[in-house]
């Protein structure tokens, strides 16, 4: 199994390939009872971009690490897609859904890293 930090870096790479923005990596390792080690949260400007980011993350992680997601939910409408890589969960939103669900606030006592958007 690939190391979790490498997995997270590869997920971010896949997001950036399709110009995903507002990338936040939340380290949940110190949070008791958390469902995984990391949340990676980002957004696309439209359902089409969310779908493209999802495909890019899936392909980039598979090619670079050999890992496949255990489950992908939300592809049907692509306003919020969740990808489960066991140790890392990827959440890809359209802007309205991201602000509505505000996942970052759920884990505000966890350490977060904001990844600068690529130009």
């Amino acid at each position: 199994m690939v190391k979790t930090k490498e997995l997270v870096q590869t997920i971010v790479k896949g997001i950036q390939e399709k110009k995903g923005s507002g990338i936040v990596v939340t380290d949940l390792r110190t949070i008791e009872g958390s469902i995984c080690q990391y949340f990676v949260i980002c957004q696309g400007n439209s359902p089409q971009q969310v779908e493209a980011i999802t495909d890019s993350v899936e392909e980039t992680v598979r090619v670079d690490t050999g890992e496949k997601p255990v489950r992908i939910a939300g592809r049907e409408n692509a306003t919020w897609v969740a990808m489960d890589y066991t140790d890392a969960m990827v959440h890809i939103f359209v802007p309205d859904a991201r602000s509505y669900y505000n996942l970052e606030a759920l884990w505000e006592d966890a350490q977060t890293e904001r990844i600068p958007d690529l130009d």
Side-chain angles (χ1 to χ4, degrees), residues 37-109:
Q37 293 182 32
Y38 291 92
F39 263 17
V40 181
I41 304 167
C42 72
Q43 69 188 43
N45 293 320
S46 66
Q48 293 81 7
Q49 188 181 14
V50 168
E51 190 174 343
I53 294 167
T54 302
D55 291 344
S56 178
V57 169
E58 187 175 22
E59 178 72 7
T60 303
V61 170
R62 185 185 59 76
V63 168
D64 289 5
T65 70
E67 295 288 320
K68 295 180 182 177
V70 174
R71 179 155 161 63
I72 300 176
R75 257 193 166 138
E76 311 77 43
N77 61 12
T79 58
W80 175 9
V81 174
M83 304 176 78
D84 182 355
Y85 282 96
T86 308
D87 290 334
M89 291 283 299
V90 184
H91 298 275
I92 309 164
F93 291 96
V94 293
D96 289 347
R98 183 176 187 172
S99 65
Y100 179 79
Y101 290 105
N102 195 16
L103 287 187
E104 290 95 335
L106 289 176
W107 307 104
E108 59 190 17
D109 49 344

